[in-house]
Amino acid sequence: MSKLPLNQLPQINGDLVAIQQRQALQRYMERTGERKTIALELESKSPLEVDTSVRASFRKSIINPLDGMAIERIIGNNDLFPISYLEAGLKASKAVCRIEVRDRLGRVLGHGTGFLVSPDLLLTNNHVLENEDAAIYSLGQFNFELDLDLRERRTVNFRFEPARFFMTDARLDFTLVALESLSSDNIPLSEFGFLPILSPSGKALIGEYVSIIQHPGGAPKAVTIRENKITDVVDEFIQYSADTMEGSSGSPVFNDEWLVVALHHAGIPDPKDSGKYISNEGIRISSIVEYVRNRQSGFSDDYKMLIDAMVKQWRNGLASEPFETESLSAEELSIDSYAGLTGYDPAFLGEEHTVPHPTYPSSVEEDLAPISGGGTILHYTHFSIAMSKSRKLAYYTVVNIDGNQLVDVSRANDKWYFDPRIERRYQCGPELYGGNSLDRGHLVRRRDPVWGEQAEVANRDTFHFTNCSPQHAFLNQKTWLELENYILDHAENEKLKVTVFTGPVFRPDDIIYRGVQIPSEFWKVVAMVKVDGTMSATAYLRTQKNLIENLEFAYGAYKTYQVPITLIEQLTSLSFGELRTHDPIGPSIQVVETIREMIV
């Protein structure tokens, strides 16, 4: 941004705004003839007949079949909505925020609008947040709106974290940027949810009405409801009539199902009167998705994790085909591919610090899935897994991490495999993970066993359905990931060998979804030999119900959710033997009972 007088508060990025408006006007003028033809067609035909058959087909596919009036609204014969339409709009509005653009001295330069599109990422215009410097000093202000008494609600401020993720493009006029997970007053970003964005074209048709949730002129949140008809679709852009003002830049444009169809970015100025606008324009969400998709192969692992929640929505958007997508395909390797694998090495930390597999009662042993070659432990490269027949998920996994031999191997194509050594009915496949917010959460993290000469094979081995468990995106991509990053980074930086056990907690009252009981909690037990030659063993528990908070992490300065190993033993029926004697928390009955009360 250019330097400005102290007493001047201009429109943000005024030059960029002018450029976007001129380009929008040019597109509008070039399509004058086509737009008149479309308008004439709409006098006798419905949007489903005027727009292309492919777009119209997708538009119909995303309608809730229980909404009997939806088609009538699209073709213009009915404006009736179920009363839940207003509730759905209010829910969608939670993810929309005002962006307060500031300079490095904290001076307010202007305002825009943005909205969350994943647990961590916000979408707005390039001309609102042009670069990382603009983002790092600015704020995302949620809840800036009026209540039923027309009083301002309490605003919740989040800082942007462009160092963690930042992507922008001036031509498509969008910026995608990470936000911090906790506000200045410790309110989690997850409270505001996010708006799913779908890849296919046809979420709204020419002649349909759209709604826009916005912060006009930087004012409290406002909405224009169905007064905005789509007049044209021009390459990567949608043009529509709408009531917007400066500050509405970066607003989500919705169809009648409250799905985002475009990112509002410009008013189209009247060439005959500079003070008036003849239309508005937004960037098609499908075009933004395509831009990001074409650059995915060059992303770092951290970038890929941050956009994974959006990718799930892009790929699983078809209501009629929630599972038949390339990303959820599954294969099966030949059984010879596993020959010679010995898996986890109990003596990995040294003969004097042997860490055997956990032991378990007969009730657990009877539920372990039998392996075709005998036994109940599946061995992979540097890790092993024991599977539950009744839950179709791992009881536990255990991996050796060698911080001195870690290899950087690309995530590749995310191809997932069934393990032919146990029956398919004991493995949850792609049918569990399609069309929802469940991630295929690696239990043995992909990077952990990727070391030594077998790094490539270890990388592939982690992509088995035996090694994943259904984890909500907020858990898998945020707190759990941060813990795993810390463990691996510490091992690499200190050249340590580390043993990590991981698994779910199986409760009889876990919810049933698509025939599978979804675990509410996940645990880790981490064992290592410290520099002084003594053993350290620490345990961590993370719930998908957000019931555990503010427990200290003893494996360094990082803070997360630490619990006694004895509690993990009680919750899982697994016994870790001598490891519990090396736990700095110790088997305090009072500590165990206090934590148990928090999670039960």
Side-chain angles (χ1 to χ4, degrees), residues 174 548 590:
F174 84 89
I548 304 174
Q590 182 178 358

Side-chain angles (χ1 to χ4, degrees), residues 301-365:
D301 274 0
D302 288 342
Y303 263 45
K304 287 180 179 178
M305 286 296 296
L306 284 170
I307 68 167
D308 191 58
M310 288 194 302
V311 171
K312 278 177 66 67
Q313 300 294 341
W314 301 346
R315 292 172 175 169
N316 304 329
L318 280 169
S320 59
E321 300 177 311
F323 315 130
E324 299 172 9
T325 62
E326 179 183 353
S327 69
L328 294 178
S329 62
E331 297 185 7
E332 188 173 284
L333 299 171
S334 70
I335 203 154
D336 293 337
S337 301
Y338 306 88
L341 295 180
T342 57
Y344 168 70
D345 178 9
F348 182 69
L349 300 182
E351 293 293 339
E352 68 277 20
H353 297 296
T354 299
V355 182
H357 281 265
T359 58
Y360 29 77
S362 58
S363 59
V364 172
E365 187 169 9

Side-chain angles (χ1 to χ4, degrees), residues 238-473:
I238 291 177
Q239 294 177 348
Y240 43 87
S241 59
D243 295 323
T244 58
M245 298 172 58
E246 294 175 9
S248 299
S249 294
S251 302
V253 182
F254 298 92
N255 66 8
D256 280 348
E257 281 71 46
W258 292 107
L259 290 174
V260 183
V261 303
L263 170 68
H264 176 73
H265 85 125
I268 301 176
D270 188 336
K272 299 177 181 179
D273 187 342
S274 60
K276 295 182 180 180
Y277 292 87
I278 52 178
S279 188
N280 278 292
E281 185 179 80
I283 305 100
R284 296 168 62 184
I285 285 296
S286 55
S287 299
I288 295 173
V289 168
E290 188 65 22
Y291 180 96
V292 178
R293 191 199 302 277
N294 289 338
R295 286 153 181 78
Q296 274 186 261
S297 60
F299 288 166
S300 66
D301 274 0
D302 288 342
Y303 263 45
K304 287 180 179 178
M305 286 296 296
L306 284 170
I307 68 167
D308 191 58
M310 288 194 302
V311 171
K312 278 177 66 67
Q313 300 294 341
W314 301 346
R315 292 172 175 169
N316 304 329
L318 280 169
S320 59
E321 300 177 311
F323 315 130
E324 299 172 9
T325 62
E326 179 183 353
S327 69
L328 294 178
S329 62
E331 297 185 7
E332 188 173 284
L333 299 171
S334 70
I335 203 154
D336 293 337
S337 301
Y338 306 88
L341 295 180
T342 57
Y344 168 70
D345 178 9
F348 182 69
L349 300 182
E351 293 293 339
E352 68 277 20
H353 297 296
T354 299
V355 182
H357 281 265
T359 58
Y360 29 77
S362 58
S363 59
V364 172
E365 187 169 9
E366 291 169 0
D367 189 44
L368 294 181
I371 300 172
S372 58
T376 55
I377 305 295
L378 293 165
H379 295 306
Y380 299 95
T381 306
H382 302 149
F383 67 96
S384 298
I385 297 175
M387 292 290 294
S388 163
K389 291 187 295 186
S390 62
R391 300 295 290 259
K392 300 194 291 186
L393 300 169
Y395 259 115
Y396 73 89
T397 67
V398 57
V399 60
N400 301 130
I401 304 174
D402 191 336
N404 199 43
Q405 299 188 65
L406 289 171
V407 177
D408 187 13
V409 175
S410 170
R411 188 181 180 96
N413 296 320
D414 259 16
K415 185 180 294 181
W416 286 79
Y417 304 94
F418 287 109
D419 194 317
R421 294 174 293 175
I422 63 173
E423 294 183 47
R424 182 75 63 87
R425 62 189 173 124
Y426 299 143
Q427 304 175 64
C428 290
E431 69 281 352
L432 177 60
Y433 300 95
N436 53 44
S437 296
L438 292 176
D439 280 357
R440 290 163 289 176
H442 279 70
L443 292 175
V444 171
R445 190 192 180 193
R446 184 190 71 81
R447 294 173 59 200
D448 285 358
V450 180
W451 52 268
E453 295 180 357
Q454 297 298 310
E456 293 279 356
V457 179
N459 179 68
R460 182 204 65 189
D461 282 357
T462 63
F463 286 91
H464 278 78
F465 282 107
T466 51
N467 184 43
C468 70
S469 198
Q471 294 184 345
H472 192 279

